[in-house]
Amino acid sequence: MTAHPADSPTPPGHDLELAHPTVTDGPVLHELAAAAGGLDVNTRYAYLIWARDFARTTVIARRGGEPVGAITGYRRPDADDTLFVWQVAVDPSARRRGVAAAMLAWLAGRHVEGGGRWVEATVTPSNEASRRLFTRFADDASAPVAWSALFGADELGDGHEPEELVRIGPLR
Ligand SMILES: CC(C)(COP(=O)(O)OP(=O)(O)OC[C@H]1O[C@@H](n2cnc3c(N)ncnc32)[C@H](O)[C@@H]1OP(=O)(O)O)[C@@H](O)C(=O)NCCC(=O)NCCS
């Protein structure tokens, strides 16, 4: 997997600045999640905490200084070789131009540099874009991908679709 030096901009081919957030980026994470649609939007407080405590497993993409996307993630406390991708949000005006793919490759690259081997996320059955994002990432990394049920609609409540777990790895 391609390595990117600390806080460097851009995988090749993208006019994006990719960086870990600072705590002042909490509101940016919140706004991107709200604007994306289809995500369970948490409180601004939650995103401030995320920007403070999970910055090394979170990325914000900017184009010309303007935020266009973010991935929030964490290393699983009981399996720290696994990066769990919690939310992926790309502004509707910036979609289908590789922003999510670039963020995921960048974040996963750093995870692998730090000794990580696995990426996990959950995807709802109807989210074709998200499903494609993770499948394509696994293909590009030449890594196996496994899908399994994780949370059912009854557990999630509020008419939420079930969430399937996608587990990708081992990454090299
Ligand atoms: C899912 C999401 C993050 C994708 O962001 P994006 O920057 O548009 O995605 P990319 O341009 O990097 O595309 C990644 C792959 O998904 C595919 N894709 C993107 N949007 C798609 C769509 N609406 N339908 C089908 N495939 C789609 C792309 O073609 C690409 O696959 P490819 O390389 O094989 O062509 C974005 O649509 C979004 O923010 N959605 C709302 C929030 C959400 O559902 N997040 C994911 C769950 S946490």
Side-chain angles (χ1 to χ4, degrees), residues 14 32-33 35-40 68-71 85-92 94-103 121-124 127-137 139-140 163:
H14 293 279
L32 284 165
L39 296 178
D40 293 332
V68 292
I71 294 180
V85 171
W86 181 45
Q87 291 189 322
V88 187
V90 172
D91 189 85
R95 299 228 173 122
R96 305 297 299 251
R97 291 163 63 191
V99 174
M103 293 191 299
T122 67
V123 180
T124 55
N127 196 334
E128 192 54 43
S130 186
R131 189 166 291 268
R132 184 69 212 144
L133 170 68
F134 289 106
T135 304
R136 178 63 191 265
F137 167 76
D139 283 352
D140 287 349
E163 294 275 0

Side-chain angles (χ1 to χ4, degrees), residues 50-62:
W50 213 271
R52 192 188 84 138
D53 288 348
F54 300 96
R56 304 306 295 177
T57 48
T58 294
V59 58
I60 297 182
R62 290 183 166 86

Side-chain angles (χ1 to χ4, degrees), residues 53-119:
D53 288 348
F54 300 96
R56 304 306 295 177
T57 48
T58 294
V59 58
I60 297 182
R62 290 183 166 86
R63 183 176 280 131
E66 289 301 311
V68 292
I71 294 180
T72 48
Y74 62 90
R75 276 184 181 244
R76 294 188 63 204
D78 294 335
D80 73 356
D81 60 354
T82 302
L83 171 70
F84 186 84
V85 171
W86 181 45
Q87 291 189 322
V88 187
V90 172
D91 189 85
S93 67
R95 299 228 173 122
R96 305 297 299 251
R97 291 163 63 191
V99 174
M103 293 191 299
L104 182 57
W106 189 86
L107 206 53
R110 295 189 152 208
H111 177 58
V112 170
E113 285 167 16
R117 289 290 172 266
W118 304 87
V119 169

